[in-house]
Amino acid sequence: MNKTYEYVEDEYEEGLTFKKVGRFFAKGWLRMLVYAIIAVALVSVVALPIKFFYKSEEVAQTTVEFLYEGIETGKDPDGNTLVTDNIISPSVLAKAISAAELDGVVSDVAGLRGEMRVEGVETDEYLRLVKAAVDGDENAKNTLRTYVMFPTRFNIIISEPSKLGLSDAQAKLLLNKVVESYLADFKTRYSVTNMLAEETFKLSENSVMEFVDIYDSYVSKLSAIELSLKNVSADNSIVSAMTDKTSFARLEIKLSAIKTDLSNFNSYVLTHGIFRNKTSAKASLENLAEKLAKQIELQEDKIKNLSLQIENFKPNTTQNNSPSGSVITTTYPDEYYALQRQLTAAYEDKYELSNRAYDVSARLAAIGEASAPTPESDVNAAMEMLRGIETDTNEFVVKLSEVAEQYDSMYVSASVRQTNQPVVTRKSAGLNVIIIYAVTLIAGLLAAGVVTGVKISRANAKAKVKAQDDDEKAADKTEE
């Protein structure tokens, strides 16, 4: 490669010519070949071991997708922020380990949780915006500056399962059980099983409890169930997919009938003055009436105070002048409307307290003379009526539980699903060998070209100086 480059005058002609390019490659091809071979050899020594022997994180992974309305804004079914950590909560993992029969392998739930994570999968919309931005779409670039991505799919990952003592098959089984356990947890958190929890209606067995108190207890329980039924029946997408599409509607009708029977029972008790112990009942009701009167008085004071604050509230006024005249705009700050809401709530509370006070007054009137005990026949008649209502109500609750269970199963399956079966992967370093070799080869050729160019340039400069010296000496000899 240490060639002698002779100076040739025509190499100094202006511009790049084919002749110059040909001479360049003729003089530097061997160096380029050697440099390329050296570069490729060095890359082979460094990159190939990294590519084929170094492995990055070993992971076991599966994917779940949420499908309910609101997930696209990061909300849970109740409208609160979705907490994805619940997918791998200690209780979920403990149940999954037990269901997978891996208690002997994974004994530390906290240790397992420390090696697990839940990662959001990039949404199609986000990927579309990124692609558009890369392609030069200015609108996409501007959108991405303030874009907040709310994933609907999430990867459940176990990092380095082998270090936890899990084989590939065990890691995949555990992930399946984690999903199953989370679906059960999701059902408990968000579906109607808890809202429509089975109630036992058998307070008639309590020989001390007054009938009016049993009535109050049952009305409270049934009111909560009625509210849940209305919320569920409004979910047409799932109700319409149930085996019996009219099941909830018929349950609502049955509940309404039970409430009517309870109301009739209460009227019967008050009309006939049926109390198991009139003396204690009267004392209890009088004490309650006194408490309610004080609560109503406090509520009235609260209403007066709020009304006075609202009355004295000074609005903000602004005057806008225009050729057609001036317009005065009146606005109120948020505090004003907060006071209005408090006043409305105070009136509602007073209304409820007044109704309770009226019921207490009606019951005191029904007791009459406390010294006169209720006839046994009247007590037995009330008991028979109450037991009939309890029988109907318990049958209603059993049917309600069956329908709620079917609804829950459909709700969960329509809200969360496992989209990918578990896999165990061992990610290698993200090196593209072809690209690396191509870049290395080009770099070797360029280095050889630079070296060859520098050598040619220096040789030509030296040859040119020598040629000039020779010309001068020849001229001097001629003059002599």
Side-chain angles (χ1 to χ4, degrees), residues 258-274:
I258 291 173
K259 290 183 68 176
T260 300
D261 290 342
L262 272 174
S263 179
N264 292 336
F265 167 75
N266 185 57
S267 298
Y268 179 82
V269 168
L270 295 180
T271 301
H272 293 82
I274 303 174

Side-chain angles (χ1 to χ4, degrees), residues 263-295:
S263 179
N264 292 336
F265 167 75
N266 185 57
S267 298
Y268 179 82
V269 168
L270 295 180
T271 301
H272 293 82
I274 303 174
F275 291 85
R276 283 173 165 145
N277 188 324
K278 286 188 176 182
T279 302
S280 62
K282 185 174 182 178
S284 176
L285 287 169
E286 287 175 344
N287 183 47
L288 179 57
E290 185 178 346
K291 289 181 179 180
L292 288 172
K294 291 180 179 179
Q295 289 176 354

Side-chain angles (χ1 to χ4, degrees), residues 8-23:
V8 182
E9 184 65 33
D10 60 6
E11 288 188 358
Y12 287 90
E13 60 188 46
E14 294 295 331
L16 182 66
T17 65
F18 286 109
K19 187 176 181 181
K20 288 182 179 180
V21 173
R23 286 179 177 173

Side-chain angles (χ1 to χ4, degrees), residues 174-415:
L174 180 57
L175 282 174
N176 276 330
K177 296 303 179 183
V178 167
V179 173
E180 291 177 12
S181 181
Y182 176 67
L183 292 180
D185 179 81
F186 183 90
K187 177 179 176 180
T188 301
R189 288 176 184 273
Y190 303 118
S191 56
V192 299
T193 297
N194 280 354
M195 293 187 292
L196 303 178
E198 183 173 339
E199 297 283 359
T200 302
F201 292 82
K202 54 181 181 181
L203 292 178
S204 61
E205 298 176 2
N206 188 333
S207 60
V208 178
M209 195 172 186
E210 293 293 346
F211 293 121
V212 290
D213 295 328
I214 293 174
Y215 166 80
D216 288 343
S217 175
Y218 286 174
V219 167
S220 176
K221 291 178 179 180
L222 292 175
S223 296
I225 291 176
E226 183 179 34
L227 178 60
S228 297
L229 272 174
K230 288 180 178 179
N231 291 336
V232 168
S233 60
D235 193 346
N236 294 323
S237 61
I238 296 180
V239 172
S240 60
M242 295 181 66
T243 305
D244 184 355
K245 298 177 177 57
T246 63
S247 54
F248 279 113
R250 288 189 287 104
L251 285 172
E252 288 178 340
I253 294 172
K254 180 63 177 177
L255 178 58
S256 178
I258 291 173
K259 290 183 68 176
T260 300
D261 290 342
L262 272 174
S263 179
N264 292 336
F265 167 75
N266 185 57
S267 298
Y268 179 82
V269 168
L270 295 180
T271 301
H272 293 82
I274 303 174
F275 291 85
R276 283 173 165 145
N277 188 324
K278 286 188 176 182
T279 302
S280 62
K282 185 174 182 178
S284 176
L285 287 169
E286 287 175 344
N287 183 47
L288 179 57
E290 185 178 346
K291 289 181 179 180
L292 288 172
K294 291 180 179 179
Q295 289 176 354
I296 290 173
E297 185 179 350
L298 290 173
Q299 214 51 39
E300 288 175 343
D301 290 341
K302 183 178 182 179
I303 290 172
K304 289 179 182 178
N305 182 43
L306 289 170
S307 299
L308 183 61
Q309 290 184 63
I310 292 172
E311 183 179 347
N312 293 332
F313 217 100
K314 302 299 182 184
N316 300 321
T317 58
T318 56
Q319 181 173 338
N320 298 319
N321 297 318
S322 66
S324 59
S326 61
V327 178
I328 297 177
T329 304
T330 302
T331 59
Y332 289 89
D334 293 339
E335 292 81 2
Y336 174 83
Y337 297 103
L339 289 172
Q340 290 281 13
R341 289 192 294 271
Q342 292 178 42
L343 180 62
T344 300
Y347 272 115
E348 291 174 350
D349 291 342
K350 180 188 174 184
Y351 177 76
E352 183 179 347
L353 290 169
S354 298
N355 283 340
R356 290 183 62 192
Y358 175 81
D359 289 338
V360 169
S361 177
R363 291 172 182 180
L364 282 170
I367 290 177
E369 182 58 47
S371 59
T374 303
E376 190 69 22
S377 59
D378 288 350
V379 173
N380 292 336
M383 281 285 292
E384 184 178 353
M385 184 182 294
L386 179 59
R387 284 170 180 163
I389 294 173
E390 288 178 339
T391 299
D392 289 344
T393 307
N394 284 319
E395 291 176 355
F396 161 78
V397 169
V398 170
K399 182 61 179 176
L400 175 65
S401 298
E402 294 174 356
V403 176
E405 183 64 30
Q406 183 188 355
Y407 176 88
D408 282 349
S409 298
M410 297 192 65
Y411 178 81
V412 173
S413 62
S415 300

Side-chain angles (χ1 to χ4, degrees), residues 65 72 82 123 135 160 168 173 282 315 348 375 377 387 423 429 433:
E65 181 178 18
E72 67 281 354
L82 177 68
T123 62
D135 293 339
E160 305 290 351
D168 289 0
L173 173 62
K282 185 174 182 178
E348 291 174 350
S377 59
R387 284 170 180 163
V423 295
V433 176

Side-chain angles (χ1 to χ4, degrees), residues 58-61 100 102 105-106 158 160-175 422-426:
E58 174 195 29
V59 299
Q61 175 179 305
L102 293 173
V105 180
V106 182
I158 303 177
E160 305 290 351
S162 60
K163 292 183 179 179
L164 296 169
L166 295 168
S167 66
D168 289 0
Q170 289 173 330
K172 290 188 282 188
L173 173 62
L174 180 57
L175 282 174
V423 295
V424 178
T425 60
R426 293 167 179 82

